[in-house]
Amino acid sequence: MAPAGLFPIGLVGCGTVGTGVVRILQSSADLLAAQAGQSLTLRHVVVRDLTRARDVDLSGCAVSDSLDALIADPSVQAVVHVVGGVEGPRQDIVRLLQSGKDVITANKALLCAHGDELFELARSLGRTIGFEAAVAGGIPIISTVCTALTANRILAIEAILNGTSNFILTRMLDRRQIYDDVLREAQQLGYAEADPAMDVDGTDAAQKLAILAKLAFGTAIPFDRIARQGIQNIDLQDLLAAADLGYRIKLLAVARLMTERLEVSVQPTLVRADRSIAMTSGAHNFIAIEGDAVGVLKLAGAGAGRLPTASAVVADLVDCVTGRAACTFQALLRLQQRNPLPLHPSADIARRQYLRFNVADRPHVLADIAHVLGRHGISISSVRQDETEDSVDGTGVARLVILTHRAAEGCLQAADNEIDCLDSLRGPRIRMPIAD
Amino acid sequence: MAPAGLFPIGLVGCGTVGTGVVRILQSSADLLAAQAGQSLTLRHVVVRDLTRARDVDLSGCAVSDSLDALIADPSVQAVVHVVGGVEGPRQDIVRLLQSGKDVITANKALLCAHGDELFELARSLGRTIGFEAAVAGGIPIISTVCTALTANRILAIEAILNGTSNFILTRMLDRRQIYDDVLREAQQLGYAEADPAMDVDGTDAAQKLAILAKLAFGTAIPFDRIARQGIQNIDLQDLLAAADLGYRIKLLAVARLMTERLEVSVQPTLVRADRSIAMTSGAHNFIAIEGDAVGVLKLAGAGAGRLPTASAVVADLVDCVTGRAACTFQALLRLQQRNPLPLHPSADIARRQYLRFNVADRPHVLADIAHVLGRHGISISSVRQDETEDSVDGTGVARLVILTHRAAEGCLQAADNEIDCLDSLRGPRIRMPIAD
Ligand SMILES: NC(=O)c1ccc[n+]([C@@H]2O[C@H](COP(=O)([O-])OP(=O)(O)OC[C@H]3O[C@@H](n4cnc5c(N)ncnc54)[C@H](OP(=O)(O)O)[C@@H]3O)[C@@H](O)[C@H]2O)c1
Ligand SMILES: NC(=O)c1ccc[n+]([C@@H]2O[C@H](COP(=O)([O-])OP(=O)(O)OC[C@H]3O[C@@H](n4cnc5c(N)ncnc54)[C@H](OP(=O)(O)O)[C@@H]3O)[C@@H](O)[C@H]2O)c1
């Protein structure tokens, strides 16, 4: 058993987040002890590759490439598990909980896929799972929803939850750069994953939104029910055209209560340039959460990165020591037992839209598109057609930007399908809602 | 004793905040029970004037104009105390703690004056004091500092903590209105107190800053050590001149670590118009808090008002039920035992400044002022002199706006004193720092 005054901990994974946790445990040891009432002492570190050099000093603890020694050590009551992937981490965390340890994870993919099952296991074993770092990194949005806003019925969440795609969108506009160049830069800066697909296609943001919405609305949202669109097809001209109209394009994650049904989506959206969410720049995250008592509360800060993410992980660790984690986790489990809300069929949601097509520059193309829209009851509020410089097959390619009045998503999708069959289309088209 | 499943509570004060608490307890009873695991049941309400009509239904509980019945009821474990003033609330809260009850207060004046003593009493009795609502109303800044940012050494707090003065400053500029008219409107809207002196002279913001800084930096800040300046002398022309230069004037509350010393001030400050703190409008509050791990975290929302403030009070109440309040309060007490930081002598702090004088429009006035500044080593970066329309004593009155390069506060104060002796000054002058 641990000597009184020491709180031994384990760490599984020692990459970006893991080394950040080690760094904070070492550099802020006194402050943490003052707050926790015990000294947080790193006893075990588990990694995949024992030969890899780490940017932190692990000399004081047992380093292993297996969980066994950690599991076998009864003095360790809490383990930080910061490894990506789903199946491996799931099995690890099950073992850790079963061996009587509280777990802290930053893995949103895991929680989105298996959160319910892991929470239930923790409950049945009298253990806790902390996951503040899994959503919006250093921004304390999980504790805000679970503890600060307990007096509120949550009405809406509108957020920027993926730093990489926000970095790309801001940088393209600020520096007039094209998508591929900025994506490469994001990878070099360590914002984007080596395979950045889940960042830019909205998967990462949707996983985080699912976790948040479950807590805020007591409603499990199957991942595939989240209307989801990425930023891959947005080009610099789209950003400039939106800016001209007084908007910024942001990858918005939205969960909103509408007449007792829940609308959930992740999609690039035009938001007025003077709103604070529009001004979220670089790799930062932003969350506006509306409660029936508090009104709109806004939080902004670093949504990822080594130390900001580790800041959230270590706060969860302190909560384990003080006993707060147990209180919070019990409340969270009770919260999840509420009556779930039905999801709002996305086909019913009506919004203004930004449509952009690259089309063969020949007669009738605009008329063809306008006819399709008209047939589906979608009315056009403005049109802008510019000749683009490159011509692909001898005929010029024109760029067509159409803003519509409010139209239902179902009608828009039906129109999309017909437009996609027009042979005058050149390259990917894009459609984005305009936030009112 | 209370039957299992019921958590009986008391309420002292049933004005703006108190009625908000009653409203939330009634309208969100199910949600609160789900989170707390017990039903929060209002058993006693104590007011001053029993004949006064209240905008809420108190039929289910004992209403009294004395604390005695509440104190005598051992089933009540937690009491919400939302009464203004200092001495009366202090005595009440001492009695409530001594009778074994946890207390929740929104009273920043009380905590600023007697927080240490009350916290120590609560500690010795094994009770807790919740005070989330005392700073920034509905924004969970106390829990952010005490629980979410435990892994961080706090480096700086920069905040708008008084909704009334922010409302006045925003409204004057937006509507080109004069101070007195907007102040009256703020009173009518219920933002300003009947006696709004403490709102506009910086007292209220300084009280809140003292509470926050104590938690964030572990350093008690005697109220009179906070450099404090109000907004009373700011006129519409100042706001317009600042806007012309690309700034907004905001009543900023700042606590900042500088070379291991703490700088603390509340004063109107010119901040660049494109910063999010500058865009905080109306009665909203804003807090940017910088930690060494998380970077800058920003929170914005309703800093006062009936339901937002009650939202924070009820969250504290749920924390009492779940046991989280006890964990947090223990951690907070430990946190306060850190080595206090010395305060930065304000005389040493060097910043750019906005100076405005109304002066007799006659020769040498500008030269006289410039000479005084020069003698104190204060160098001028720009000057603007406009003839004002009204002339007071036959001679015209000119408006002189001087921006300085960085200058130390001590030199500026010495210059202020000399300038105040110049007989060409007409009416109050103003000096405000420019945030870089
Ligand atoms: N990076 C961020 O800013 C951030 C923010 C929020 C959440 N997260 C989440 O935090 C988790 C970790 O992210 P990261 O960025 O720190 O990842 P990373 O830099 O790739 O590090 C992953 C670490 O896990 C270790 N590992 C892999 N498989 C393992 C196994 N089977 N057993 C033990 N260790 C194993 C790796 O060991 P080797 O070093 O030996 O290969 C490496 O140290 C992910 O779920 C991620 O989504 C990250
Ligand atoms: N209003 C806000 O937005 C806000 C926000 C944050 C913090 N606060 C703080 O919250 C506290 C209450 O503010 P408030 O705006 O709710 O004040 P308020 O509207 O003036 O209400 C004060 C209440 O206290 C009662 N009261 C006064 N003396 C009493 C006594 N000796 N015993 C029992 N009850 C007594 C009054 O009773 P009667 O009704 O019978 O006169 C009234 O119901 C203050 O400390 C304030 O600074 C307020």
Side-chain angles (χ1 to χ4, degrees):
Chain A
M1 283 279 108
L6 275 196
F7 188 90
I9 56 188
L11 173 67
V12 185
C14 197
T16 304
V17 183
T19 56
V21 171
V22 176
R23 182 57 51 90
I24 292 177
L25 290 176
Q26 290 171 348
S27 66
S28 300
D30 289 353
L31 181 63
L32 294 169
Q35 299 185 89
Q38 295 184 60
S39 291
L40 280 69
T41 312
L42 188 58
R43 190 147 289 178
H44 295 268
V45 176
V46 183
V47 294
R48 184 172 39 190
D49 177 0
L50 285 171
T51 65
R52 199 173 138 192
R54 319 259 158 206
D55 179 25
V56 284
D57 174 15
L58 301 178
S59 56
C61 45
V63 182
S64 164
D65 59 1
S66 135
L67 280 188
D68 296 344
L70 167 57
I71 298 261
D73 184 345
S75 76
V76 174
Q77 292 163 50
V79 175
V80 171
H81 194 285
V82 278
V83 174
V86 173
E87 198 39 37
R90 191 185 72 80
Q91 290 173 13
D92 283 359
I93 291 176
V94 167
R95 284 184 70 197
L96 290 165
L97 291 169
Q98 284 172 339
S99 70
K101 300 177 195 318
D102 291 332
V103 172
I104 292 152
T105 173
N107 190 328
K108 51 261 172 178
L110 170 66
L111 290 177
C112 182
H114 298 294
D116 287 349
E117 166 203 336
L118 291 173
F119 287 2
E120 171 52 27
L121 179 66
R123 188 201 60 71
S124 70
L125 294 165
R127 301 269 47 96
T128 70
I129 297 176
F131 54 100
E132 183 60 80
V135 181
I139 304 175
I141 184 61
I142 300 294
S143 70
T144 296
V145 171
C146 290
T147 72
L149 298 184
T150 42
N152 290 264
R153 186 157 193 243
I154 305 299
L155 306 175
I157 293 171
E158 192 181 46
I160 293 173
L161 294 175
N162 183 272
T164 302
S165 44
N166 199 58
F167 175 82
I168 294 174
L169 293 174
T170 338
R171 196 65 153 227
M172 284 171 71
L173 182 62
D174 288 352
R175 305 236 174 133
R176 304 284 190 269
Q177 284 181 294
I178 64 167
Y179 182 85
D180 292 329
D181 291 349
V182 179
L183 175 57
R184 215 172 0 255
E185 190 183 349
Q187 285 173 294
Q188 279 155 5
L189 286 167
Y191 296 143
E193 312 278 328
D195 172 10
M198 303 223 291
D199 285 319
V200 299
D201 75 0
T203 301
D204 176 80
Q207 288 169 340
K208 293 168 177 167
L209 183 65
I211 295 170
L212 261 191
K214 179 82 199 282
L215 298 172
F217 300 100
T219 300
I221 298 162
F223 182 74
D224 56 12
R225 291 291 305 276
I226 301 179
R228 190 162 49 87
Q229 181 185 337
I231 63 161
Q232 310 95 313
N233 293 335
I234 297 173
D235 63 26
L236 177 56
Q237 275 72 35
D238 291 320
L239 292 161
L240 292 169
D244 261 3
L245 296 160
Y247 293 96
R248 295 286 174 277
I249 299 175
K250 292 288 170 188
L251 183 63
L252 286 201
V254 174
R256 183 179 286 126
L257 205 57
M258 294 176 71
T259 56
E260 296 307 302
R261 294 186 299 183
L262 203 54
E263 173 202 338
V264 218
S265 65
V266 171
Q267 53 193 162
T269 303
L270 278 71
V271 287
R272 278 212 331 275
D274 62 356
R275 292 184 53 199
S276 38
I277 196 165
M279 288 183 288
T280 306
S281 66
H284 276 206
N285 283 14
F286 176 99
I287 299 146
I289 180 161
E290 183 178 0
D292 60 353
V294 79
V296 177
L297 184 67
K298 297 175 192 168
L299 295 94
R306 184 188 192 198
L307 289 178
T309 309
S311 164
V313 167
V314 175
D316 274 349
L317 211 38
V318 172
D319 275 6
C320 282
V321 189
T322 61
R324 211 155 40 209
C327 305
T328 308
F329 193 65
Q330 292 305 318
L332 178 158
L333 293 170
R334 283 190 297 267
L335 248 183
Q336 301 216 335
Q337 288 160 4
R338 284 179 288 172
N339 284 339
L341 297 161
L343 298 189
H344 202 296
S346 65
D348 289 2
I349 296 167
R351 282 180 297 194
R352 296 192 296 137
Q353 302 280 332
Y354 169 100
L355 316 179
R356 185 261 302 160
F357 311 93
N358 295 334
V359 292
D361 189 11
R362 59 187 191 216
H364 304 303
V365 175
L366 172 57
D368 290 348
I369 291 177
H371 272 133
V372 174
L373 295 175
R375 260 202 308 283
H376 292 280
I378 300 160
S379 88
I380 292 175
S381 79
S382 75
V383 176
R384 200 174 115 176
Q385 177 166 342
D386 298 320
E387 183 108 9
T388 61
E389 283 170 29
D390 19 83
S391 73
V392 180
D393 53 2
T395 71
V397 175
R399 190 179 174 85
L400 194 59
V401 171
I402 297 179
L403 302 191
T404 76
H405 290 293
R406 280 162 65 89
E409 183 62 25
C411 303
L412 288 157
Q413 277 172 11
D416 285 347
N417 292 340
E418 281 188 40
I419 290 171
D420 282 338
C421 299
L422 296 178
D423 66 0
S424 47
L425 227 58
R426 296 286 175 272
R429 56 163 184 81
I430 195 157
R431 171 162 72 79
M432 297 178 279
I434 303 171
D436 290 310
Chain B
M1 285 279 108
L6 275 194
F7 188 90
I9 57 188
L11 172 67
V12 185
C14 198
T16 304
V17 183
T19 56
V21 171
V22 175
R23 182 58 51 92
I24 292 177
L25 290 175
Q26 290 171 346
S27 67
S28 299
D30 289 353
L31 181 63
L32 293 170
Q35 299 185 87
Q38 295 185 60
S39 291
L40 280 69
T41 312
L42 188 60
R43 191 147 288 177
H44 296 268
V45 176
V46 183
V47 295
R48 184 173 37 190
D49 177 359
L50 285 171
T51 65
R52 202 174 135 189
R54 319 258 158 206
D55 179 25
V56 283
D57 174 15
L58 301 177
S59 56
C61 44
V63 182
S64 164
D65 59 1
S66 136
L67 281 188
D68 297 344
L70 166 58
I71 298 261
D73 184 343
S75 76
V76 174
Q77 292 163 50
V79 175
V80 171
H81 194 284
V82 278
V83 175
V86 173
E87 200 37 40
R90 190 184 74 80
Q91 291 173 11
D92 282 359
I93 291 176
V94 167
R95 283 184 70 197
L96 290 165
L97 291 169
Q98 285 173 337
S99 71
K101 299 176 195 320
D102 292 332
V103 172
I104 291 152
T105 173
N107 190 328
K108 51 263 174 179
L110 171 65
L111 290 177
C112 182
H114 299 293
D116 288 347
E117 165 203 336
L118 292 172
F119 287 3
E120 171 53 26
L121 179 66
R123 188 201 61 71
S124 70
L125 295 165
R127 301 270 47 95
T128 70
I129 298 177
F131 54 100
E132 182 60 81
V135 181
I139 303 175
I141 184 61
I142 300 295
S143 70
T144 296
V145 171
C146 291
T147 72
L149 298 184
T150 42
N152 289 264
R153 185 156 193 246
I154 304 300
L155 306 175
I157 293 171
E158 192 182 48
I160 293 173
L161 295 175
N162 182 271
T164 302
S165 44
N166 198 58
F167 175 82
I168 293 174
L169 294 173
T170 339
R171 196 66 152 226
M172 284 172 72
L173 182 62
D174 289 352
R175 306 236 173 132
R176 304 285 191 269
Q177 283 182 295
I178 64 165
Y179 181 85
D180 292 329
D181 291 349
V182 180
L183 176 56
R184 216 172 358 256
E185 190 183 348
Q187 286 174 294
Q188 279 154 7
L189 286 167
Y191 296 143
E193 311 278 326
D195 172 10
M198 303 223 291
D199 286 319
V200 298
D201 75 2
T203 301
D204 175 81
Q207 289 169 340
K208 292 167 178 168
L209 183 65
I211 296 170
L212 260 190
K214 178 81 200 283
L215 298 172
F217 300 99
T219 300
I221 298 162
F223 182 75
D224 55 14
R225 292 291 305 276
I226 302 180
R228 189 162 48 85
Q229 180 185 338
I231 63 162
Q232 310 96 313
N233 293 335
I234 297 172
D235 63 25
L236 177 56
Q237 275 72 33
D238 291 320
L239 292 161
L240 292 169
D244 261 3
L245 296 160
Y247 293 96
R248 294 287 174 274
I249 300 174
K250 293 289 171 186
L251 184 62
L252 286 202
V254 174
R256 182 179 287 125
L257 206 56
M258 294 176 72
T259 56
E260 295 306 303
R261 293 186 299 182
L262 202 54
E263 173 203 338
V264 218
S265 66
V266 171
Q267 54 194 162
T269 304
L270 277 72
V271 287
R272 278 211 331 274
D274 62 357
R275 291 184 51 199
S276 39
I277 195 164
M279 288 183 288
T280 307
S281 67
H284 277 206
N285 282 14
F286 176 99
I287 299 147
I289 181 162
E290 183 178 0
D292 60 352
V294 79
V296 177
L297 183 68
K298 297 174 191 167
L299 296 93
R306 185 187 190 197
L307 290 179
T309 309
S311 163
V313 167
V314 175
D316 274 349
L317 211 39
V318 172
D319 274 6
C320 281
V321 188
T322 61
R324 208 156 40 209
C327 305
T328 305
F329 193 65
Q330 291 306 317
L332 177 158
L333 292 170
R334 282 190 299 265
L335 203 57
Q336 301 216 334
Q337 288 160 4
R338 284 179 289 172
N339 284 339
L341 297 162
L343 297 189
H344 202 298
S346 65
D348 288 2
I349 297 168
R351 282 181 296 195
R352 295 192 297 138
Q353 301 280 332
Y354 169 101
L355 315 179
R356 185 261 300 160
F357 312 93
N358 296 334
V359 291
D361 189 11
R362 60 189 190 212
H364 304 303
V365 174
L366 172 56
D368 290 347
I369 291 177
H371 273 132
V372 174
L373 295 176
R375 259 202 308 284
H376 291 280
I378 300 160
S379 89
I380 293 175
S381 79
S382 77
V383 176
R384 198 174 116 177
Q385 177 166 343
D386 298 318
E387 183 109 11
T388 61
E389 281 168 33
D390 18 83
S391 73
V392 180
D393 54 3
T395 71
V397 175
R399 191 180 173 85
L400 193 60
V401 172
I402 296 178
L403 302 191
T404 76
H405 289 294
R406 280 161 65 90
E409 182 63 24
C411 304
L412 289 157
Q413 278 173 11
D416 286 347
N417 292 339
E418 281 187 42
I419 290 171
D420 283 338
C421 298
L422 296 178
D423 67 359
S424 45
L425 227 59
R426 296 285 173 274
R429 58 163 183 81
I430 196 157
R431 172 163 71 79
M432 296 178 280
I434 303 171
D436 289 310

